[in-house]
Amino acid sequence: MDIIEELDSLQHDVLARIKAAEDTAALEEIRVSVLGKSGTLTAHLRNMGSVPKEQKAEVGRALNEARQAVEEALAGAKDVLSKAELEAAIASDAVDITLPGRHQHIGSRHLINRLIDEISEIFLGLGYSVIEGPEVETDYYNFEALNAPADHPSRSMQDTFYVRDMTGAESAVRGESNLLLRTQTSGVQVHAMEDQPMPIYVIAPGKVYRRDVADASHLPQFHQIEGLVVDKGITFGDLKGTLEYMCKAIFGEDRKTRFRAHYFPFTEPSAEVDVSCGICHGEGCRMCKHTGWLEILGCGMVDPNVLQMSGIDPEVYSGFAFGMGVERIACLKYDVPDLRMLLDGDMRFLEQF
């Protein structure tokens, strides 16, 4: 077979392969095998130097015709197959407009953080400042500076997590470490009394930790907001008026408050504050254990010993302090029966607020 016949056979074979190609990827393989650097037709072009002189014109014309025929066939087939592939892609990606739409879920602040902000705004409006302190505190600031020395029985009510101190001791059991996860944000108040000038009007929100078993009314980690006022001429009447204003701002103008005598080591006199039940309006129901009242916080006048340990003269200054659990306030405000529901992460519950 001479060169002309070989080129005709090659052209016929390539055109048949192009016609049988099922997609553009197959076409590209054919193009590379024929017209690429190592392609069969390209090889004939490179061998033109070895063609006898009298056949060069005829062979060159045959090569050009074969190349043109192959390129036109490739272009035509690519146009047809590309359109088919595009139509198939559109069909496979078609959107059924009868299906329900997919809306974007917009997040929001957790109920606990929102309530902390709400309470903070109430006291900011009264001229208070919001302060923070360390969650890993020393025994002194968490207990001793609050009138609870090492042998004080009130410590048993606030058993917490002790941590390894800077000496690197292997043991971290109670009594062998001076550092602990704070049980209350009262330590922040001690820092404020030591560092801030008079008068002091502050609240201290933050996380606290206790070795409590989680149940409907207890959590090992929860949030507190404690308040402190130290100024000249502060009386229990100032405390009562402040907390009554706060309760009405949180729970509503129709809610009543009452103060019951209680004991706290860092205040004297001390009291627990109740708010009238929002379910039965004070008449008695299962939510308030048929008393008509719900306990919300503890408070009292700052003990003179606490003032003295922070370098404040109790003969000149007096003050009051109070503390509340934010999770408990949230449950009472929104009638949530179990504290653990606030931490479960169930969006069906959390989205109600």
Side-chain angles (χ1 to χ4, degrees):
M1 181 182 294
D2 60 16
I3 298 176
I4 302 299
E5 291 177 346
E6 188 177 342
L7 288 173
D8 288 342
S9 176
L10 176 61
Q11 178 180 334
H12 182 271
D13 180 61
V14 171
L15 293 179
R17 289 169 58 193
I18 292 173
K19 188 175 182 180
E22 297 181 351
D23 52 40
T24 54
L27 281 180
E28 180 63 14
E29 291 181 3
I30 296 171
R31 186 195 69 79
V32 172
S33 68
V34 178
L35 302 177
K37 290 183 178 181
S38 301
T40 53
L41 198 57
T42 304
H44 281 288
L45 289 170
R46 289 176 177 172
N47 292 332
M48 278 296 293
S50 61
V51 176
K53 186 176 182 180
E54 61 274 12
Q55 292 183 338
K56 280 190 176 182
E58 187 178 0
V59 172
R61 183 169 56 254
L63 276 171
N64 288 333
E65 289 176 355
R67 183 182 183 88
Q68 184 177 358
V70 170
E71 289 178 345
E72 289 178 355
L74 285 170
K78 184 176 181 181
D79 185 55
V80 173
L81 292 175
S82 296
K83 289 181 179 179
E85 290 176 355
L86 178 60
E87 291 175 357
I90 292 174
S92 64
D93 294 338
V95 177
D96 186 352
I97 61 174
T98 64
L99 292 174
R102 299 175 182 174
H103 69 280
Q104 181 71 33
H105 289 280
I106 301 176
S108 62
R109 301 205 72 193
H110 192 278
L111 177 60
I112 297 302
N113 291 328
R114 287 171 49 199
L115 198 54
I116 289 175
D117 289 345
E118 180 182 338
I119 296 172
S120 297
E121 287 293 331
I122 293 172
F123 283 98
L124 286 171
L126 294 175
Y128 285 60
S129 299
V130 179
I131 60 175
E132 297 180 343
E135 293 182 18
V136 178
E137 189 59 275
T138 64
D139 184 273
Y140 175 78
Y141 284 103
N142 195 79
F143 290 121
E144 292 185 25
L146 294 166
N147 213 26
D151 58 350
H152 201 283
S154 67
R155 290 193 178 208
S156 62
M157 298 184 293
Q158 296 189 21
D159 201 8
T160 185
F161 302 89
Y162 285 76
V163 299
R164 184 179 303 170
D165 60 24
M166 298 304 292
T167 63
E170 291 299 323
S171 178
V173 297
R174 183 170 182 171
E176 298 182 13
S177 174
N178 188 44
L179 299 176
L180 49 85
L181 296 181
R182 65 184 182 188
T183 64
Q184 54 199 356
T185 56
S186 303
V188 184
Q189 299 177 5
V190 178
H191 286 291
M193 287 188 289
E194 289 182 348
D195 301 335
Q196 294 191 16
M198 295 294 149
I200 298 174
Y201 290 81
V202 297
I203 60 169
K207 294 178 184 176
V208 297
Y209 307 85
R210 298 182 187 179
R211 291 182 61 187
D212 291 335
V213 177
D215 58 28
S217 57
H218 297 85
L219 293 172
Q221 173 186 307
F222 57 97
H223 295 77
Q224 265 192 348
I225 295 182
E226 297 202 18
L228 172 70
V229 170
V230 180
D231 201 350
K232 295 179 179 179
I234 298 297
T235 68
F236 199 94
D238 298 313
L239 169 62
K240 189 170 185 293
T242 300
L243 295 183
E244 283 187 348
Y245 174 82
M246 182 203 73
C247 289
K248 290 183 181 295
I250 295 175
F251 297 104
E253 290 292 333
D254 60 327
R255 305 293 282 274
K256 298 178 180 179
T257 57
R258 74 173 183 181
F259 288 69
R260 293 180 288 107
H262 193 69
Y263 168 76
F264 297 108
F266 38 84
T267 54
E268 179 61 37
S270 305
E272 286 192 339
V273 180
D274 302 332
V275 64
S276 58
C277 180
I279 303 297
C280 64
H281 304 289
E283 296 182 4
C285 65
R286 189 170 64 178
M287 180 71 177
C288 62
K289 299 180 181 179
H290 302 284
T291 64
W293 298 94
L294 299 167
E295 177 188 333
I296 59 170
L297 59 86
C299 65
M301 301 300 293
V302 179
D303 192 293
N305 290 336
V306 175
L307 294 175
Q308 284 181 331
M309 282 188 285
S310 297
I312 299 174
D313 187 352
E315 297 296 329
V316 178
Y317 294 98
S318 58
F320 62 76
F322 56 87
M324 68 193 84
V326 181
E327 283 81 355
R328 180 169 179 78
I329 296 294
C331 288
L332 295 177
K333 181 174 182 177
Y334 296 104
D335 303 324
V336 178
D338 193 322
L339 290 175
R340 292 169 293 186
M341 297 177 70
L342 298 170
L343 306 179
D344 286 341
D346 190 334
M347 296 303 296
R348 296 170 300 176
F349 169 76
L350 295 175
E351 286 177 345
Q352 299 179 62
F353 310 103

